[in-house]
Amino acid sequence: MIATSSLLSSSRLTDLSHLTLSSTLAELPTHSFQVSPETAGHVVATQFEKQPVLPGVIIVENSRVVGAFSRRKFLEQVSQTYGVAVYLKRPIYVMLRMVAPEYLVLSSSCPIHTAAEIALKRPSSYAYEPIIVEFPEKTFRLLDIYILLLAQSHLLTLLYQLEQNRRQFAESLQKIGQTLSSSLDLSELPKRILEELDKVVSYERGAVLLQKGDHLEIVADCGFSEEVDIRNLQIPIRDRKDDLFQRLVEARRPIRIGDVTAEWSWQQIDGLPLDRSWLGVPLVAQDRVIGMISLTRRKAYSFSSSDESLVSAFASQAAVALENARLYDHIISFNDQLEQMVNQRTEELNNAYHILEKLNQTKSDFIQVSGHELRTPLTVIKGYAQLLNVNPLIREDPNTAEMLEGIVSGVDRLYQIVNSMLDVTKIDSDSLDAQIEKLSLADIILPICGKFETALKERRLALTTSDLSRLPSVRGDPDLLTKAFYALIVNAIKYTPDGGSIAIEGQVVSPTEESFQVEIVVKDTGIGIDPAQQKLIFEKFYQTGKLAFHSSGHTKFKGGGPGLGLAIARGIIQAHDGEIWVESAGYDEENCPGSSFFVRLPVSD
Ligand code: ADP
């Protein structure tokens, strides 16, 4: 192809800036058929003479491309019939007529990119045939393929730019979104919103307004003179359809006012400068309009539809960020409230705990003092009663002897209770003073069982023990462990109705790979214990039965004691690094589900 220097310079000058993405051929510069024959023909002939290998030539007239010819067509249609000399004298439209079948006729409404595609798809041998544009009024124009391709590439550039812009905007929007959502400070965020918005669209004055009941509050502003105290302005939301905010709420899309002075519904707020253009964008969070972004420019009609879309896309990010910050604020203040409440409750509980601790201490002190005070006279009474009991004069009279027996056993029982009271105070003050030795639990448990032989017979209770002597030894204080197991066995007797049974079993358990424990279970067929009470019964003075049932007969059915037995048992077992607990299906005096008291003590090395 030959392009003269004039063609190049003209193409450079070709102004295609008016083209839009939907441009058609009609908007492209085209060339008239009216070309002087001499000049045009001369160019063609000269070029072919100079460069016989050329596949074709472009015809340039007065710095304008007026057409193109392929050598083949030129030779076939022109040279063979009339000869070059004849052709050279012909005006250009004659030449065009000669190569008529090879014209590419395109309608003026054909979009540029389609025309370029058609032109490029032509067989290469026709590449220089003229492109004729047909106008509706049936006139024709020559179109320069170079301009056509130039235009197409211009449109592609536009498209590319548009795409780039879109991507850039999406990226910056994403960044803005991240920046905004990372700021959870509700007092700072609206200001940040206006700062970030400035990167997206220019504005002279801007404000973020949030709805507070029946009015809008300005929570951030930019561009207003410091003399105007804009933050204290409360903008009422009018209960009318023409209220701008109401319109935004209704439409849920931006509203653009080209000239506020020509807008009848415009409400100019006293003290604020009058800017002509206004763009209002709703802030929608969780499907609710929570406020709006208001932007103004001094010049009328200065916000475009693309400004509108930009601010709108931005506003959705801003609304999400605002909502997040609001929720965060809510959670923080809720947390503060909760923390305050927890602190208050903790203080109350601490106070209550201290009072209870004091009371407990007072109770322990009282028990200790009264225990000691009671034990001295009791020892005296016990001593004298025992002396009298062996006195032959008194034993002569069976009535007096029986009364004395009563006194002795009553004093024994009292003595036992007082001792229990003192044991409890020792447990409370961690001063049990255990004399530890290696021992067999059979040696502890079997003698206790023996003590109850008479009572068991009277109450027709069957007490069995598994082969306890086969159990490994434990380390413990024999007196203390005797007290603990005594409490469990006497309770099993007390809370099992006549005719029932009690079984004492033992086995070795291994809660972890290295540790071994001896587990003793005292199982009865008694009245059982409510699950809600199963922990409480190990507290001192705690009893489940009604006080009225309490009796001093310590093996009588339901003959409750002072409520110290299990507290002492727990204290002793824990002092031996052991565990104690109860399992029972519940309390039921009719069906007697029974209870099983478990004790675990570490096996002696
Ligand atoms: P108490 O001197 O009243 O027997 P304990 O500390 O020994 O005091 O027991 C506390 C309470 O636990 C008893 O009042 C009784 O209600 C309940 N209890 C203890 N052992 C049994 C058991 N084997 N069966 C049913 N209830 C029991």
Side-chain angles (χ1 to χ4, degrees), residues 511-559:
T512 63
E513 260 178 38
E514 295 99 50
S515 69
F516 293 93
Q517 293 176 322
V518 174
E519 181 184 271
I520 302 288
V521 190
V522 181
K523 212 187 270 182
D524 63 44
T525 57
I527 56 177
I529 304 163
D530 193 287
Q533 317 260 15
Q534 288 174 11
K535 275 213 163 81
L536 294 170
I537 55 172
F538 290 95
E539 296 301 327
K540 58 180 181 264
F541 301 117
Y542 190 86
Q543 292 151 326
T544 57
K546 288 181 191 152
L547 283 174
F549 291 141
H550 281 236
S551 103
S552 58
H554 80 302
T555 52
K556 234 181 112 185
F557 178 48
K558 292 198 289 174

Short mmCIF file of all heavy atoms in Angstrom, two decimals, residues 511-559:
data_model
loop_
_atom_site.label_atom_id
_atom_site.label_comp_id
_atom_site.label_asym_id
_atom_site.label_seq_id
_atom_site.Cartn_x
_atom_site.Cartn_y
_atom_site.Cartn_z
N PRO A 511 -8.34 -44.18 88.00
CA PRO A 511 -8.83 -43.02 87.24
C PRO A 511 -7.83 -42.55 86.18
O PRO A 511 -8.22 -42.11 85.13
CB PRO A 511 -9.06 -41.94 88.29
CG PRO A 511 -8.72 -42.53 89.60
CD PRO A 511 -8.11 -43.86 89.40
N THR A 512 -6.54 -42.67 86.45
CA THR A 512 -5.55 -42.35 85.42
C THR A 512 -4.60 -43.55 85.35
O THR A 512 -4.66 -44.44 86.21
CB THR A 512 -4.73 -41.10 85.78
OG1 THR A 512 -4.00 -41.38 86.97
CG2 THR A 512 -5.59 -39.87 85.98
N GLU A 513 -3.73 -43.56 84.33
CA GLU A 513 -2.86 -44.73 84.13
C GLU A 513 -1.96 -45.00 85.33
O GLU A 513 -1.70 -46.14 85.68
CB GLU A 513 -2.02 -44.53 82.87
CG GLU A 513 -2.60 -45.27 81.69
CD GLU A 513 -1.81 -45.05 80.44
OE1 GLU A 513 -0.58 -44.98 80.52
OE2 GLU A 513 -2.45 -44.92 79.38
N GLU A 514 -1.52 -43.93 85.99
CA GLU A 514 -0.56 -44.13 87.08
C GLU A 514 -1.21 -44.28 88.46
O GLU A 514 -0.61 -44.83 89.37
CB GLU A 514 0.44 -42.96 87.18
CG GLU A 514 1.35 -42.80 86.00
CD GLU A 514 0.85 -41.74 85.07
OE1 GLU A 514 0.55 -40.65 85.55
OE2 GLU A 514 0.73 -42.02 83.86
N SER A 515 -2.45 -43.75 88.64
CA SER A 515 -2.99 -43.74 89.99
C SER A 515 -4.00 -44.86 90.22
O SER A 515 -4.80 -45.17 89.35
CB SER A 515 -3.63 -42.38 90.27
OG SER A 515 -4.77 -42.25 89.49
N PHE A 516 -3.93 -45.43 91.41
CA PHE A 516 -4.87 -46.50 91.79
C PHE A 516 -5.55 -46.09 93.08
O PHE A 516 -4.92 -45.49 93.95
CB PHE A 516 -4.13 -47.82 91.98
CG PHE A 516 -3.59 -48.34 90.69
CD1 PHE A 516 -2.29 -48.03 90.30
CD2 PHE A 516 -4.39 -49.12 89.85
CE1 PHE A 516 -1.80 -48.48 89.10
CE2 PHE A 516 -3.90 -49.56 88.63
CZ PHE A 516 -2.59 -49.25 88.25
N GLN A 517 -6.86 -46.39 93.13
CA GLN A 517 -7.60 -46.04 94.34
C GLN A 517 -8.44 -47.23 94.79
O GLN A 517 -8.87 -48.04 93.96
CB GLN A 517 -8.55 -44.87 94.05
CG GLN A 517 -7.82 -43.56 93.74
CD GLN A 517 -8.79 -42.47 93.37
OE1 GLN A 517 -9.78 -42.72 92.69
NE2 GLN A 517 -8.52 -41.26 93.81
N VAL A 518 -8.69 -47.26 96.09
CA VAL A 518 -9.65 -48.26 96.60
C VAL A 518 -10.99 -47.55 96.66
O VAL A 518 -11.09 -46.44 97.20
CB VAL A 518 -9.24 -48.75 98.01
CG1 VAL A 518 -10.32 -49.67 98.57
CG2 VAL A 518 -7.91 -49.45 97.96
N GLU A 519 -11.99 -48.20 96.07
CA GLU A 519 -13.33 -47.59 96.07
C GLU A 519 -14.24 -48.45 96.95
O GLU A 519 -14.38 -49.65 96.73
CB GLU A 519 -13.88 -47.52 94.64
CG GLU A 519 -15.25 -46.88 94.59
CD GLU A 519 -15.82 -46.91 93.18
OE1 GLU A 519 -15.57 -45.96 92.42
OE2 GLU A 519 -16.50 -47.90 92.85
N ILE A 520 -14.86 -47.79 97.92
CA ILE A 520 -15.82 -48.49 98.78
C ILE A 520 -17.19 -47.89 98.50
O ILE A 520 -17.33 -46.66 98.44
CB ILE A 520 -15.49 -48.28 100.29
CG1 ILE A 520 -14.07 -48.76 100.63
CG2 ILE A 520 -16.53 -48.93 101.19
CD1 ILE A 520 -13.87 -50.25 100.65
N VAL A 521 -18.20 -48.78 98.31
CA VAL A 521 -19.56 -48.29 98.10
C VAL A 521 -20.45 -48.83 99.21
O VAL A 521 -20.46 -50.04 99.46
CB VAL A 521 -20.15 -48.77 96.75
CG1 VAL A 521 -21.45 -48.04 96.44
CG2 VAL A 521 -19.16 -48.57 95.63
N VAL A 522 -21.14 -47.90 99.85
CA VAL A 522 -22.13 -48.31 100.87
C VAL A 522 -23.49 -48.11 100.23
O VAL A 522 -23.94 -46.99 99.99
CB VAL A 522 -21.99 -47.47 102.17
CG1 VAL A 522 -22.99 -47.93 103.22
CG2 VAL A 522 -20.57 -47.55 102.72
N LYS A 523 -24.11 -49.27 99.92
CA LYS A 523 -25.33 -49.25 99.11
C LYS A 523 -26.51 -49.69 99.97
O LYS A 523 -26.43 -50.71 100.65
CB LYS A 523 -25.13 -50.29 98.00
CG LYS A 523 -25.82 -49.98 96.67
CD LYS A 523 -25.66 -51.16 95.76
CE LYS A 523 -24.39 -51.07 94.91
NZ LYS A 523 -24.29 -52.21 93.98
N ASP A 524 -27.56 -48.89 99.98
CA ASP A 524 -28.72 -49.32 100.78
C ASP A 524 -29.97 -49.38 99.92
O ASP A 524 -29.97 -48.96 98.77
CB ASP A 524 -28.90 -48.39 102.00
CG ASP A 524 -29.20 -46.96 101.60
OD1 ASP A 524 -30.03 -46.75 100.70
OD2 ASP A 524 -28.57 -46.03 102.19
N THR A 525 -31.03 -49.92 100.50
CA THR A 525 -32.31 -49.99 99.78
C THR A 525 -33.28 -49.03 100.45
O THR A 525 -34.45 -49.31 100.67
CB THR A 525 -32.88 -51.43 99.79
OG1 THR A 525 -33.00 -51.83 101.16
CG2 THR A 525 -32.00 -52.39 99.04
N GLY A 526 -32.74 -47.86 100.83
CA GLY A 526 -33.52 -46.90 101.61
C GLY A 526 -34.33 -45.92 100.77
O GLY A 526 -34.57 -46.12 99.57
N ILE A 527 -34.68 -44.82 101.43
CA ILE A 527 -35.63 -43.85 100.85
C ILE A 527 -35.02 -42.99 99.73
O ILE A 527 -35.72 -42.28 99.03
CB ILE A 527 -36.18 -42.91 101.95
CG1 ILE A 527 -35.02 -42.22 102.68
CG2 ILE A 527 -37.06 -43.68 102.93
CD1 ILE A 527 -35.46 -41.20 103.74
N GLY A 528 -33.73 -43.06 99.57
CA GLY A 528 -33.08 -42.33 98.47
C GLY A 528 -32.94 -40.84 98.76
O GLY A 528 -33.44 -40.32 99.75
N ILE A 529 -32.26 -40.17 97.89
CA ILE A 529 -31.99 -38.72 98.07
C ILE A 529 -32.28 -37.99 96.77
O ILE A 529 -31.85 -38.43 95.69
CB ILE A 529 -30.51 -38.48 98.48
CG1 ILE A 529 -30.18 -39.29 99.74
CG2 ILE A 529 -30.23 -37.00 98.71
CD1 ILE A 529 -28.69 -39.44 99.97
N ASP A 530 -32.99 -36.90 96.89
CA ASP A 530 -33.31 -36.07 95.72
C ASP A 530 -32.00 -35.58 95.07
O ASP A 530 -31.10 -35.12 95.79
CB ASP A 530 -34.13 -34.87 96.24
CG ASP A 530 -34.77 -34.14 95.11
OD1 ASP A 530 -34.03 -33.44 94.38
OD2 ASP A 530 -35.99 -34.29 94.94
N PRO A 531 -31.90 -35.62 93.72
CA PRO A 531 -30.65 -35.17 93.08
C PRO A 531 -30.26 -33.75 93.49
O PRO A 531 -29.07 -33.45 93.62
CB PRO A 531 -30.96 -35.25 91.59
CG PRO A 531 -32.01 -36.28 91.47
CD PRO A 531 -32.82 -36.20 92.73
N ALA A 532 -31.26 -32.87 93.72
CA ALA A 532 -30.96 -31.49 94.08
C ALA A 532 -30.27 -31.39 95.44
O ALA A 532 -29.62 -30.40 95.76
CB ALA A 532 -32.24 -30.68 94.08
N GLN A 533 -30.44 -32.44 96.27
CA GLN A 533 -29.88 -32.39 97.63
C GLN A 533 -28.53 -33.11 97.74
O GLN A 533 -27.89 -33.07 98.78
CB GLN A 533 -30.84 -33.08 98.62
CG GLN A 533 -32.28 -32.74 98.42
CD GLN A 533 -32.74 -31.69 99.41
OE1 GLN A 533 -31.90 -31.05 100.03
NE2 GLN A 533 -34.03 -31.50 99.54
N GLN A 534 -28.18 -33.80 96.65
CA GLN A 534 -27.05 -34.73 96.77
C GLN A 534 -25.71 -34.08 97.08
O GLN A 534 -24.81 -34.75 97.59
CB GLN A 534 -26.98 -35.61 95.52
CG GLN A 534 -28.14 -36.62 95.52
CD GLN A 534 -28.26 -37.45 94.26
OE1 GLN A 534 -27.37 -37.45 93.43
NE2 GLN A 534 -29.37 -38.16 94.14
N LYS A 535 -25.59 -32.80 96.79
CA LYS A 535 -24.34 -32.12 97.15
C LYS A 535 -24.48 -31.48 98.51
O LYS A 535 -23.55 -31.44 99.31
CB LYS A 535 -24.02 -31.03 96.11
CG LYS A 535 -23.28 -31.58 94.91
CD LYS A 535 -22.33 -30.53 94.34
CE LYS A 535 -21.29 -31.14 93.44
NZ LYS A 535 -21.79 -31.38 92.08
N LEU A 536 -25.73 -30.94 98.73
CA LEU A 536 -25.97 -30.17 99.96
C LEU A 536 -25.85 -31.00 101.23
O LEU A 536 -25.46 -30.48 102.28
CB LEU A 536 -27.37 -29.55 99.89
CG LEU A 536 -27.56 -28.48 98.81
CD1 LEU A 536 -29.02 -28.11 98.67
CD2 LEU A 536 -26.74 -27.24 99.20
N ILE A 537 -26.18 -32.31 101.13
CA ILE A 537 -26.16 -33.11 102.37
C ILE A 537 -24.77 -33.22 102.97
O ILE A 537 -24.61 -33.59 104.13
CB ILE A 537 -26.74 -34.54 102.14
CG1 ILE A 537 -26.01 -35.24 101.01
CG2 ILE A 537 -28.25 -34.48 101.92
CD1 ILE A 537 -26.40 -36.70 100.88
N PHE A 538 -23.74 -32.84 102.18
CA PHE A 538 -22.37 -32.89 102.71
C PHE A 538 -21.99 -31.61 103.45
O PHE A 538 -20.88 -31.48 103.94
CB PHE A 538 -21.36 -33.17 101.59
CG PHE A 538 -21.47 -34.58 101.05
CD1 PHE A 538 -22.22 -34.85 99.93
CD2 PHE A 538 -20.83 -35.62 101.71
CE1 PHE A 538 -22.32 -36.14 99.44
CE2 PHE A 538 -20.94 -36.92 101.22
CZ PHE A 538 -21.69 -37.19 100.08
N GLU A 539 -22.95 -30.66 103.49
CA GLU A 539 -22.69 -29.42 104.24
C GLU A 539 -23.09 -29.63 105.69
O GLU A 539 -24.05 -30.37 105.97
CB GLU A 539 -23.51 -28.25 103.66
CG GLU A 539 -23.16 -27.88 102.23
CD GLU A 539 -21.71 -27.49 102.06
OE1 GLU A 539 -21.14 -26.90 103.01
OE2 GLU A 539 -21.14 -27.81 101.00
N LYS A 540 -22.40 -28.96 106.61
CA LYS A 540 -22.71 -29.19 108.02
C LYS A 540 -24.12 -28.69 108.36
O LYS A 540 -24.59 -27.71 107.79
CB LYS A 540 -21.65 -28.59 108.94
CG LYS A 540 -21.43 -27.11 108.80
CD LYS A 540 -20.37 -26.70 109.77
CE LYS A 540 -20.11 -25.22 109.71
NZ LYS A 540 -19.01 -24.83 108.89
N PHE A 541 -24.75 -29.40 109.23
CA PHE A 541 -26.12 -29.12 109.72
C PHE A 541 -27.19 -29.22 108.64
O PHE A 541 -28.30 -28.76 108.83
CB PHE A 541 -26.21 -27.72 110.37
CG PHE A 541 -25.29 -27.55 111.53
CD1 PHE A 541 -24.27 -26.62 111.51
CD2 PHE A 541 -25.45 -28.36 112.66
CE1 PHE A 541 -23.42 -26.48 112.58
CE2 PHE A 541 -24.60 -28.22 113.73
CZ PHE A 541 -23.58 -27.29 113.70
N TYR A 542 -26.83 -29.79 107.49
CA TYR A 542 -27.86 -29.88 106.45
C TYR A 542 -28.58 -31.22 106.57
O TYR A 542 -27.97 -32.28 106.59
CB TYR A 542 -27.25 -29.76 105.04
CG TYR A 542 -28.32 -29.62 104.00
CD1 TYR A 542 -28.84 -28.38 103.68
CD2 TYR A 542 -28.85 -30.75 103.37
CE1 TYR A 542 -29.86 -28.25 102.76
CE2 TYR A 542 -29.88 -30.63 102.45
CZ TYR A 542 -30.38 -29.38 102.15
OH TYR A 542 -31.39 -29.26 101.25
N GLN A 543 -29.91 -31.11 106.65
CA GLN A 543 -30.71 -32.32 106.71
C GLN A 543 -31.85 -32.19 105.73
O GLN A 543 -32.40 -31.10 105.55
CB GLN A 543 -31.30 -32.51 108.13
CG GLN A 543 -30.22 -32.79 109.14
CD GLN A 543 -30.61 -32.29 110.50
OE1 GLN A 543 -31.29 -31.25 110.61
NE2 GLN A 543 -30.19 -32.98 111.51
N THR A 544 -32.21 -33.32 105.13
CA THR A 544 -33.30 -33.23 104.15
C THR A 544 -34.65 -33.46 104.81
O THR A 544 -35.66 -32.94 104.37
CB THR A 544 -33.12 -34.28 103.04
OG1 THR A 544 -33.06 -35.55 103.66
CG2 THR A 544 -31.85 -34.04 102.24
N GLY A 545 -34.67 -34.25 105.87
CA GLY A 545 -35.95 -34.59 106.49
C GLY A 545 -36.52 -33.45 107.31
O GLY A 545 -35.87 -32.44 107.54
N LYS A 546 -37.82 -33.59 107.71
CA LYS A 546 -38.43 -32.57 108.57
C LYS A 546 -37.90 -32.75 109.98
O LYS A 546 -37.69 -33.87 110.44
CB LYS A 546 -39.95 -32.74 108.57
CG LYS A 546 -40.56 -32.31 107.25
CD LYS A 546 -42.07 -32.46 107.31
CE LYS A 546 -42.65 -32.29 105.93
NZ LYS A 546 -43.89 -33.02 105.76
N LEU A 547 -37.69 -31.60 110.65
CA LEU A 547 -37.13 -31.64 111.99
C LEU A 547 -37.96 -32.49 112.94
O LEU A 547 -37.44 -33.15 113.83
CB LEU A 547 -36.98 -30.22 112.56
CG LEU A 547 -35.80 -29.44 111.99
CD1 LEU A 547 -35.83 -28.01 112.49
CD2 LEU A 547 -34.49 -30.11 112.38
N ALA A 548 -39.27 -32.52 112.70
CA ALA A 548 -40.18 -33.24 113.58
C ALA A 548 -39.82 -34.72 113.65
O ALA A 548 -40.05 -35.38 114.66
CB ALA A 548 -41.61 -33.08 113.10
N PHE A 549 -39.23 -35.25 112.57
CA PHE A 549 -38.90 -36.68 112.55
C PHE A 549 -37.63 -36.99 113.31
O PHE A 549 -37.29 -38.14 113.51
CB PHE A 549 -38.73 -37.17 111.11
CG PHE A 549 -40.02 -37.19 110.33
CD1 PHE A 549 -40.04 -36.81 109.00
CD2 PHE A 549 -41.20 -37.60 110.94
CE1 PHE A 549 -41.22 -36.84 108.29
CE2 PHE A 549 -42.38 -37.63 110.22
CZ PHE A 549 -42.40 -37.25 108.89
N HIS A 550 -36.94 -35.93 113.70
CA HIS A 550 -35.65 -36.21 114.31
C HIS A 550 -35.78 -36.84 115.68
O HIS A 550 -36.64 -36.51 116.45
CB HIS A 550 -34.82 -34.92 114.38
CG HIS A 550 -34.23 -34.62 113.05
ND1 HIS A 550 -32.90 -34.46 112.87
CD2 HIS A 550 -34.81 -34.51 111.84
CE1 HIS A 550 -32.69 -34.24 111.60
NE2 HIS A 550 -33.85 -34.26 110.96
N SER A 551 -34.94 -37.81 115.86
CA SER A 551 -34.99 -38.48 117.16
C SER A 551 -33.57 -38.74 117.60
O SER A 551 -32.64 -38.75 116.82
CB SER A 551 -35.77 -39.79 117.03
OG SER A 551 -34.91 -40.87 117.00
N SER A 552 -33.43 -39.01 118.85
CA SER A 552 -32.08 -39.23 119.30
C SER A 552 -31.67 -40.69 119.12
O SER A 552 -30.51 -41.03 119.21
CB SER A 552 -31.93 -38.79 120.76
OG SER A 552 -32.85 -39.52 121.52
N GLY A 553 -32.63 -41.53 118.87
CA GLY A 553 -32.32 -42.94 118.62
C GLY A 553 -31.51 -43.04 117.35
O GLY A 553 -32.05 -42.92 116.27
N HIS A 554 -30.20 -43.31 117.52
CA HIS A 554 -29.38 -43.05 116.34
C HIS A 554 -29.38 -44.17 115.31
O HIS A 554 -28.73 -44.08 114.29
CB HIS A 554 -27.98 -42.58 116.75
CG HIS A 554 -27.05 -43.67 117.14
ND1 HIS A 554 -27.31 -44.54 118.15
CD2 HIS A 554 -25.84 -44.02 116.62
CE1 HIS A 554 -26.30 -45.38 118.25
NE2 HIS A 554 -25.39 -45.07 117.32
N THR A 555 -30.12 -45.27 115.50
CA THR A 555 -30.26 -46.26 114.42
C THR A 555 -31.72 -46.46 114.05
O THR A 555 -32.07 -47.36 113.30
CB THR A 555 -29.65 -47.62 114.85
OG1 THR A 555 -30.23 -47.98 116.10
CG2 THR A 555 -28.14 -47.56 114.92
N LYS A 556 -32.56 -45.64 114.59
CA LYS A 556 -34.00 -45.73 114.28
C LYS A 556 -34.25 -45.29 112.85
O LYS A 556 -33.50 -44.45 112.33
CB LYS A 556 -34.76 -44.77 115.23
CG LYS A 556 -35.86 -45.46 116.00
CD LYS A 556 -36.56 -44.48 116.86
CE LYS A 556 -37.97 -44.28 116.32
NZ LYS A 556 -38.66 -43.25 117.06
N PHE A 557 -35.29 -45.84 112.21
CA PHE A 557 -35.59 -45.42 110.84
C PHE A 557 -35.86 -43.91 110.80
O PHE A 557 -36.67 -43.41 111.56
CB PHE A 557 -36.80 -46.21 110.31
CG PHE A 557 -37.20 -45.82 108.91
CD1 PHE A 557 -36.25 -45.71 107.89
CD2 PHE A 557 -38.52 -45.55 108.60
CE1 PHE A 557 -36.62 -45.35 106.61
CE2 PHE A 557 -38.90 -45.18 107.31
CZ PHE A 557 -37.94 -45.09 106.31
N LYS A 558 -35.19 -43.19 109.95
CA LYS A 558 -35.29 -41.74 109.76
C LYS A 558 -34.96 -40.97 111.05
O LYS A 558 -35.41 -39.84 111.23
CB LYS A 558 -36.68 -41.33 109.24
CG LYS A 558 -36.93 -41.82 107.81
CD LYS A 558 -38.05 -41.10 107.14
CE LYS A 558 -39.39 -41.47 107.73
NZ LYS A 558 -40.47 -40.67 107.19
N GLY A 559 -34.24 -41.64 111.95
CA GLY A 559 -33.85 -40.95 113.19
C GLY A 559 -32.72 -39.99 112.90
O GLY A 559 -31.55 -40.32 113.07
#
